[in-house]
Amino acid sequence: PEHLKEAARKLGIEIAFFAVEASTVYCKQGAPFMKFHLLIYAEQAKQLDFLRTQYDPNQPRNDYIRKLYQNAFDHGAVNIPLEEIYRINDPDAPTKKKMLTRSPLARAIAECCGCTEQEAKDMWLPSMPDTLRYQTYLDIAEMIRMAHESGCATVLAHPCWVRPYHRGDVPTEQDLFLVVADLARSGLDGIELSHRLNPLEMRPTLFRLAATLGLIPTGGSDFHGKLRCVFGMNGTARENLELLQARVRCLRQKAGR
């Protein structure tokens, strides 16, 4: 966090929050039902320390990628060390990638074998089975509770990216709206409305839902360094940013953090 603050200061950028995007699962009647990303906002980075004690959803994926890499390496399909493939290309970066995905490994295999990235994935990198990826999970209602105990606010990220927990299930818009209403009762503070994964025709409906449930509407680029992530296209209105800042301050004071 201190490196982030210093880099922002040099660039003249204001950091409104320290935050984490968590992969979570919504349970219906005690059973896993849908998968959601939850944005957790804090005034101070140390408020997010409670996440260190929780299950890391990246671990199953990372273990799986390491096994795929070892198999490809043993068969001569890749000759670059795993650490080099997933290195952050910034000598001043004080961290390393925490989530390993198939694409960087596919690029390394493609370079070594003279094939395309898609061919590398087809030959060496099958998708991770859901039975491995989600055998353990973070319950979104529990994450909201713990975030509030640490004085953090929570926002449901890109809600139109609806993903079932069980492959083959097809959640409906009504399912989504009922889940959002239930999460609002659990203390959810906001909902990300302005996002590339939320169709324009759905946003007025989501806005009315947010207004009805008293949720703060937010937005963002969801920037992950990919071409599809564009700054300036989706964002948060100043008044909603101030509402979220006020909510975080209130929760922090209430939690005594």
Side-chain angles (χ1 to χ4, degrees), residues 32 43 52 56 66 79 114 122 142 158 166 182-183 201 240:
E43 275 193 317
R52 299 181 188 276
D56 180 4
R66 290 188 181 97
N79 52 15
D122 293 341
E142 182 68 4
H158 41 66
H166 298 288
D182 191 35
L183 293 178
E201 63 272 16
N240 291 327

Side-chain angles (χ1 to χ4, degrees), residues 142-228:
E142 182 68 4
M143 293 301 293
I144 292 171
R145 183 190 66 78
M146 288 190 292
H148 282 185
E149 287 182 352
S150 295
C152 304
T154 57
V155 172
L156 188 67
H158 41 66
C160 286
W161 191 31
V162 180
R163 297 172 299 153
Y165 181 83
H166 298 288
R167 185 169 293 185
D169 288 354
V170 184
T172 65
E173 287 183 7
Q174 183 180 14
D175 288 328
L176 172 63
F177 298 156
L178 290 174
V179 168
V180 173
D182 191 35
L183 293 178
R185 288 191 289 271
S186 296
L188 183 70
D189 300 288
I191 184 170
E192 191 176 43
L193 300 187
S194 182
H195 189 280
R196 59 183 172 81
L197 293 176
N198 291 341
L200 292 176
E201 63 272 16
M202 275 291 294
R203 296 186 190 186
T205 301
L206 290 172
F207 185 84
R208 289 193 294 271
L209 180 66
T212 301
L213 297 174
L215 299 174
I216 301 169
T218 72
S221 65
D222 201 359
F223 187 80
H224 287 277
K226 299 180 180 180
L227 292 177
R228 68 189 182 208

Side-chain angles (χ1 to χ4, degrees), residues 39-168:
L39 304 170
I40 304 173
Y41 292 98
E43 275 193 317
Q44 301 292 328
K46 64 182 180 181
Q47 293 173 253
L48 299 168
D49 283 350
F50 76 94
L51 292 165
R52 299 181 188 276
T53 66
Q54 303 306 307
Y55 161 74
D56 180 4
N58 292 330
Q59 193 60 48
R61 184 203 303 263
N62 291 352
D63 290 344
Y64 182 71
I65 290 293
R66 290 188 181 97
K67 289 181 180 178
L68 293 181
Y69 168 83
Q70 191 61 51
N71 180 60
F73 180 84
D74 291 345
H75 287 83
V78 64
N79 52 15
I80 304 173
L82 184 71
E83 294 74 17
E84 180 66 20
I85 294 173
Y86 291 99
R87 181 173 67 88
I88 294 177
N89 295 311
D90 181 348
D92 297 325
T95 186
K96 61 182 180 180
K97 285 187 180 291
K98 291 180 169 55
M99 182 177 72
L100 308 184
T101 59
R102 292 189 303 158
S103 293
L105 182 51
R107 285 194 291 272
I109 293 174
E111 277 187 35
C112 183
C113 297
C115 62
T116 67
E117 289 184 31
Q118 187 57 52
E119 288 171 339
K121 288 181 179 180
D122 293 341
M123 293 170 59
W124 298 103
L125 307 176
S127 297
M128 183 178 181
D130 282 351
T131 51
L132 292 178
R133 190 194 304 266
Y134 297 108
Q135 57 187 343
T136 309
Y137 55 82
L138 298 175
D139 184 284
I140 188 169
E142 182 68 4
M143 293 301 293
I144 292 171
R145 183 190 66 78
M146 288 190 292
H148 282 185
E149 287 182 352
S150 295
C152 304
T154 57
V155 172
L156 188 67
H158 41 66
C160 286
W161 191 31
V162 180
R163 297 172 299 153
Y165 181 83
H166 298 288
R167 185 169 293 185

Side-chain angles (χ1 to χ4, degrees), residues 25-37:
V25 168
Y26 172 83
C27 293
K28 182 178 181 180
Q29 296 177 341
F33 180 48
M34 293 168 68
K35 298 176 286 187
F36 289 100
H37 287 179

